[in-house]
Amino acid sequence: MSKNIFLLLLSVVFAGHLFAQLPKIVNIETKNTILLYRVGQDQKLIQSYLGNKLFQPGEYDKLKAGKFEAYITAGTSNLFEPSIRVKHADNNPSLDLQYESHKIVKQDDDVTLTTIKMIDPQYPFEVTLFFKAYYNEDVIEEWTEIKHKEKKPVVLYNYASSTLHFDAKNYWLTQFHGNWAEEMRMQESQLTSGIKIIDSKLGTRAHMYQTPVFYLSLNEKSNENTGELIAGTLGWSGNFQFTFEIDERNNLRVISGINPYASEYKLEPEKVFKTPSFIFTYSNSGKGLASRNMHQWARKYGILDGDKPRLTLLNNWETTYFSFNEEKLAGLFDDAVKLGVDLFLLDDGWFANKYPRNNDNAGLGDWEENKAKLPGGIDALIKAAQQKGSKFGIWIEPEMVNPKSELYEKHPDWIIKLPNRSENYYRNQLVLDLTNPQVQDFVFGVVDNLMTKHPEIAFIKWDCNRMITNGYSPYLKENQSHLYIDYVNSLYKVFDRMRQKYPHLPIMLCSGGGGRVDYGALKYFTEFWPSDNTDGLERVFIQWGYSNFYPSITSCNHITSWGKQSLKFRTDVAMMGKMGYDIPVKHMTDQELKFSQNAVANYKRLNNTIWFGDLFRLVSPYDESRAVLMYVNTEKNKAVLFSYTLNPRYGEFFQKVRLQGLDAAKMYKVEETNINLRQTFMESGKVFSGDFLMKVGLEVSANNSLNSVVLEITEVK
Ligand code: GLA
């Protein structure tokens, strides 16, 4: 037996022993945070504390049990929003949950899994709460499993992943909302008595209007470096719901999980209903720390290969749209090589023959190369790209179908639509019924066929361009209200299969822009597409929004012709993430091409700091007409600062900016990089102490509109 397994077993046995002896207190602990449960009257599980750890652990005994039920049941004495509501096999609509046992398993040096089991004294019905504590990242992941042994199915109406209670004076909620091309707009408001719900009912492309992330600030509004808050997110690519309810005593309960809307679930005896994970971090030093915790967690646990490098690329979508052929593409492969990026990504339009994919109203579902555009097929493209020195990647949208397609003709029963109403289109397409195992095979097959036939494919962009309307699954028959939940779980099954066979293939998660960005999906993906809007100015806000919860290494930022800003501005914006291009390189002037080649080279020098460094947001574009942020690597010997001036008013002056995250004792050389034509930062080349940079600061912003500065900050010894 290996030493680790032995230690692990020992810790299970020890926890079991502990549980038999001690009063019923369950601690879920990370480096700085503790979530404490206690068994109160009537064996109820009560949340008695969530916050910073106390210096003296003995003092936790002084905490009163209180009344904050850990998982609130409906149908008995509760008068507010429940965590769970069920109807038993005998039609009884009540549930009573009592603590039964708990178990603590230390999975490794960082991760501890705590499970708390509760049972209904009247029914063979149990709920187990799971808490995974990530010690070093200060992150807690929670989910719930529901099971019963009643004689017939039990109907679940509500089934939260997490319930957290707070007793602050005031509560401030920061939410992120939007639409196509305007993703992740940040909005902060004070919660008032009653319920505030943030949710999605879209089914697929589910985050088009609301993203499943929030900050909840306690007592006062928090800012980047001060304030007490939690940052929370639900790892679920479908309908989600966050409910914030303030009761008559000004206590707040936050219930997070799958949206119960139109989703009552018939649970068969002995089957387990597992909810998605709610992931949160607590910070008493503002939003900046909360984001850094989330980023660290995500790179290690939340996204695929978060500690590995990413590929820079040239995409053809905005250059060609659907109109290309082998010759045109060959020219673009040359452009990719000219720019110095790693890969060429072929977007939509390469497939379907009977109904060629020449625009968005035909061909979706027919995943064979279009012979007219690509007589040599994908093989010829890969060969040509490789000969020129570029890797090759490809776009797919396997969950969808155009009515004008062979797939639609062959399998009308594979489509989500009402049997007795006319079809409802969005982007001329319909959603496949992924709850059907045959459809799951088909969708998996889209990737698998491509990869089996063309193992040299080095990158995939997985798109999903519409939501579910007229929701009805021919496969689910009488269980129609399972559709929204089963769809997402089926999707994860397909992703699982895909990752078992292709564990490290880089795949971008795209959904008509950023319509599907969450940690349920991201653990299968290396990156995501934040928005189709690539206007440099808009992107400052969009990427700023995502940066609150997702690390820069996941954010695909492309330089395109969309924005009216200078090429330098758009390039600098794309650099704060995973840089790529989607621009006609042949229209660039010599000078623009030279600047871009240089930018790619600079990016390759700086990308480790941007991808793996700690992010410090220094000036918010929501506060001033500029945005300033920086990344600092773990050793604190390299940092990159980005400053974007937006549209300041006449006479609006920018103050110096104090840097953050450096080592006060170190000396740093500050150099402007990515310079186009002329230098903007006048102190370029000077050496400062970290102390100076963080106490006095630098004049990092240009005053004129739509100007940007990138500073490379390097320790000198
Ligand atoms: C979606 C994506 C775009 C592009 C098109 C292709 O809109 O967000 O990036 O791939 O589909 O049709």
Side-chain angles (χ1 to χ4, degrees):
M1 193 187 316
S2 82
K3 193 175 147 213
N4 279 350
I5 297 181
F6 175 74
L7 286 177
L8 234 127
L9 283 177
L10 195 72
S11 63
V12 178
V13 173
F14 186 58
H17 176 72
L18 260 186
F19 150 63
Q21 301 291 315
L22 290 175
K24 308 272 174 34
I25 293 184
V26 189
N27 296 347
I28 290 116
E29 272 183 67
T30 62
K31 191 160 52 181
N32 296 301
T33 306
I34 186 161
L35 171 59
L36 196 137
Y37 290 97
R38 178 184 281 265
V39 180
Q41 270 180 355
D42 304 330
Q43 290 293 103
K44 288 273 178 220
L45 184 71
I46 302 293
Q47 178 197 315
S48 54
Y49 184 71
L50 167 58
N52 264 149
K53 278 184 179 170
L54 300 180
F55 287 127
Q56 296 179 31
E59 290 207 304
Y60 293 121
D61 292 342
K62 295 180 186 161
L63 287 164
K64 298 208 175 81
K67 286 193 174 155
F68 292 160
E69 242 183 275
Y71 203 68
I72 308 152
T73 59
T76 47
S77 58
N78 163 53
L79 297 170
F80 294 91
E81 196 63 18
S83 318
I84 181 165
R85 183 163 83 86
V86 311
K87 188 170 78 184
H88 293 283
D90 64 0
N91 286 327
N92 185 310
S94 69
L95 185 67
D96 180 17
L97 289 176
Q98 298 188 352
Y99 169 91
E100 217 246 354
S101 63
H102 76 275
K103 205 162 69 180
I104 302 167
V105 180
K106 199 160 167 19
Q107 298 189 320
D108 57 38
D109 283 350
D110 194 29
V111 185
T112 303
L113 177 67
T114 303
T115 50
I116 311 176
K117 187 167 153 189
M118 295 177 292
I119 50 167
D120 187 324
Q122 297 299 328
Y123 288 91
F125 187 98
E126 65 183 59
V127 171
T128 307
L129 306 183
F130 289 75
F131 300 87
K132 229 182 205 186
Y134 299 87
Y135 190 84
N136 293 314
E137 295 73 22
D138 265 325
V139 164
I140 296 174
E141 177 183 355
E142 301 184 56
W143 71 95
T144 306
E145 288 188 9
I146 304 168
K147 210 170 103 179
H148 71 89
K149 290 184 183 158
E150 298 187 21
K151 297 221 161 52
K152 284 191 292 181
V154 168
V155 183
L156 310 180
Y157 296 92
N158 294 63
Y159 24 71
S161 297
S162 156
T163 305
L164 294 174
H165 298 265
F166 301 90
D167 54 358
K169 191 160 172 278
N170 290 302
Y171 307 97
W172 291 88
L173 177 69
T174 308
Q175 63 185 100
F176 296 81
H177 70 105
N179 193 357
W180 177 79
E182 47 182 272
E183 289 86 345
M184 286 302 267
R185 299 200 166 179
M186 191 163 83
Q187 211 170 32
E188 187 165 28
S189 53
Q190 188 171 5
L191 291 173
T192 55
S193 162
I195 289 190
K196 159 99 182 177
I197 287 178
I198 297 176
D199 77 341
S200 162
K201 300 186 180 77
L202 281 71
T204 49
R205 199 179 179 175
H207 311 145
M208 184 154 106
Y209 303 140
Q210 298 284 347
T211 311
V213 295
F214 67 83
Y215 287 123
L216 173 73
S217 300
L218 306 174
N219 298 309
E220 286 163 49
K221 273 185 181 181
S222 54
N223 60 32
E224 285 297 322
N225 294 314
T226 58
E228 188 185 352
L229 71 143
I230 67 157
T233 178
L234 190 78
W236 185 243
S237 310
N239 295 347
F240 70 91
Q241 188 184 67
F242 297 133
T243 304
F244 303 85
E245 184 170 31
I246 297 184
D247 68 14
E248 81 290 1
R249 297 170 150 247
N250 204 46
N251 294 320
L252 171 71
R253 62 176 67 164
V254 180
I255 299 180
S256 308
I258 296 176
N259 194 344
Y261 166 75
S263 294
E264 54 276 11
Y265 210 92
K266 210 168 28 160
L267 185 64
E268 299 290 337
E270 303 284 358
K271 288 263 183 312
V272 175
F273 183 92
K274 183 178 175 195
T275 72
S277 290
F278 176 70
I279 301 141
F280 77 94
T281 182
Y282 165 86
S283 158
N284 69 355
S285 306
K287 292 169 178 158
L289 177 65
S291 294
R292 287 188 290 279
N293 290 346
M294 288 304 252
H295 296 168
Q296 267 169 28
W297 174 85
R299 283 192 298 258
K300 205 157 168 201
Y301 303 102
I303 54 172
L304 186 74
D305 289 338
D307 56 348
K308 306 267 170 5
R310 299 292 190 264
L311 299 166
T312 51
L313 58 82
L314 172 68
N315 188 195
N316 69 311
W317 176 240
E318 291 194 22
T319 306
T320 65
Y321 293 104
F322 297 95
S323 150
F324 53 80
N325 55 27
E326 285 179 352
E327 203 191 325
K328 219 180 204 179
L329 293 179
L332 298 182
F333 302 157
D334 283 329
D335 291 343
V337 176
K338 226 189 269 172
L339 276 173
V341 296
D342 304 309
L343 176 125
F344 174 80
L345 169 63
L346 177 59
D347 215 282
D348 197 355
W350 59 267
F351 48 91
N353 287 294
K354 183 170 175 190
Y355 304 103
R357 181 75 172 166
N358 292 329
N359 53 46
D360 63 19
N361 71 11
L364 207 52
D366 301 345
W367 298 103
E368 302 90 37
E369 297 98 314
N370 177 281
K371 294 207 174 66
K373 288 185 206 173
L374 307 173
I378 291 173
D379 274 337
L381 295 179
I382 294 176
K383 219 159 140 204
Q386 284 181 343
Q387 266 167 10
K388 291 172 194 281
S390 171
K391 292 183 167 54
F392 180 84
I394 200 157
W395 179 96
I396 53 173
E397 192 183 1
E399 298 157 73
M400 304 280 161
V401 61
N402 282 130
K404 248 168 119 185
S405 71
E406 291 183 75
L407 180 67
Y408 180 96
E409 289 173 350
K410 270 191 234 145
H411 295 290
D413 55 324
W414 281 11
I415 296 168
I416 293 177
K417 55 179 181 168
L418 288 162
N420 55 354
R421 294 188 197 279
S422 50
E423 291 174 358
N424 177 261
Y425 305 128
Y426 186 95
R427 212 190 186 215
N428 308 303
Q429 65 193 58
L430 293 161
V431 185
L432 293 177
D433 182 8
L434 208 54
T435 64
N436 182 339
Q438 286 183 320
V439 176
Q440 293 166 25
D441 289 343
F442 171 82
V443 172
F444 168 73
V446 175
V447 174
D448 195 36
N449 292 338
L450 276 172
M451 294 310 298
T452 312
K453 283 194 213 148
H454 319 286
E456 301 90 348
I457 289 179
F459 187 93
I460 285 182
K461 175 176 176 184
W462 180 305
D463 211 339
C464 163
N465 271 302
R466 74 157 292 174
M467 67 299 289
I468 294 174
T469 54
N470 285 6
Y472 181 92
S473 151
Y475 180 78
L476 288 174
K477 304 204 170 70
E478 73 276 7
N479 286 330
Q480 288 304 322
S481 62
H482 290 197
L483 174 61
Y484 289 125
I485 296 176
D486 286 0
Y487 186 97
V488 180
N489 283 326
S490 305
L491 182 68
Y492 292 160
K493 259 199 227 165
V494 173
F495 290 164
D496 258 330
R497 248 170 109 182
M498 179 174 84
R499 281 314 179 185
Q500 268 166 33
K501 198 153 174 194
Y502 308 103
H504 298 291
L505 176 70
I507 309 187
M508 182 205 290
L509 177 60
C510 172
S511 183
R516 182 187 268 167
V517 183
D518 68 89
Y519 284 118
L522 276 171
K523 62 172 180 267
Y524 303 102
F525 289 81
T526 47
E527 52 219 78
F528 68 86
W529 182 233
S531 177
D532 281 351
N533 190 339
T534 45
D535 174 296
L537 175 61
E538 293 295 324
R539 273 284 176 146
V540 168
F541 288 90
I542 292 170
Q543 293 169 198
W544 188 271
Y546 283 110
S547 83
N548 285 281
F549 295 87
Y550 303 100
S552 63
I553 190 169
T554 50
S555 176
C556 297
N557 306 334
H558 293 179
I559 297 139
T560 74
S561 315
W562 195 336
K564 291 183 194 70
Q565 311 82 22
S566 68
L567 180 65
K568 168 167 165 65
F569 188 90
R570 285 174 285 143
T571 305
D572 289 354
V573 172
M575 266 201 180
M576 56 157 159
K578 212 219 82 168
M579 183 166 93
Y581 285 85
D582 190 354
I583 196 166
V585 177
K586 67 168 191 256
H587 294 163
M588 284 183 178
T589 62
D590 286 350
Q591 202 282 324
E592 284 174 335
L593 179 63
K594 227 167 108 203
F595 166 76
S596 302
Q597 289 165 330
N598 195 32
V600 173
N602 287 339
Y603 183 69
K604 292 199 169 173
R605 192 178 67 252
L606 303 175
N607 59 16
N608 271 340
T609 307
I610 296 168
W611 293 341
F612 308 116
D614 276 332
L615 168 67
F616 294 86
R617 287 179 297 253
L618 306 178
V619 182
S620 167
Y622 287 87
D623 294 338
E624 294 181 28
S625 199
R626 62 170 172 167
V628 186
L629 53 92
M630 66 188 285
Y631 301 92
V632 185
N633 73 356
T634 328
E635 299 78 30
K636 295 183 190 286
N637 58 18
K638 188 94 183 170
V640 187
L641 181 144
F642 295 94
S643 170
Y644 310 100
T645 301
L646 309 179
N647 284 308
R649 299 284 309 275
Y650 176 80
E652 185 177 346
F653 293 106
F654 295 129
Q655 306 301 332
K656 279 200 283 268
V657 176
R658 289 180 184 158
L659 278 52
Q660 290 175 29
L662 300 170
D663 182 338
K666 285 187 170 151
M667 299 302 291
Y668 296 93
K669 187 169 184 184
V670 180
E671 285 166 297
E672 183 173 0
T673 186
N674 249 18
I675 295 172
N676 190 26
L677 302 175
R678 62 179 177 279
Q679 190 178 319
T680 308
F681 179 64
M682 290 311 152
E683 296 184 283
S684 186
K686 283 196 188 162
V687 173
F688 303 88
S689 67
D691 187 43
F692 181 95
L693 293 171
M694 294 193 289
K695 282 187 184 151
V696 180
L698 295 173
E699 281 172 18
V700 296
S701 306
N703 262 315
N704 36 352
S705 291
L706 300 172
N707 252 287
S708 53
V709 180
V710 183
L711 300 181
E712 183 172 355
I713 300 162
T714 314
E715 185 191 358
V716 287
K717 289 197 176 155

